[in-house]
Amino acid sequence: MYSNLTGWHLVILASIPLLVLFVAAIVSIARATATGTEKAIWVLVALVFPIAGPIVWFAVGKRTTSSP
């Protein structure tokens, strides 16, 4: 079934999950409760490091709101 997938087809298929991760990170950063400067820095990190930036955002940057 997938024997005709070579070269650019595989590159495109492999980049789709990365694009979804990047867009999800940008949306999550926009919805975060951080200040404008913090959001700008995180977006810059995600743009400069398009694979590692979103992963780091979801691992350590995203804050959860804790109820008192």
Side-chain angles (χ1 to χ4, degrees), residues 17-49:
L18 297 176
L19 180 64
V20 169
L21 177 68
F22 179 78
V23 170
I26 296 297
V27 169
S28 178
I29 292 168
R31 291 182 175 182
T33 58
T35 65
T37 305
E38 291 172 337
K39 287 181 183 182
I41 291 171
W42 275 111
V43 168
L44 206 66
V45 168
L47 287 172
V48 172
F49 304 105

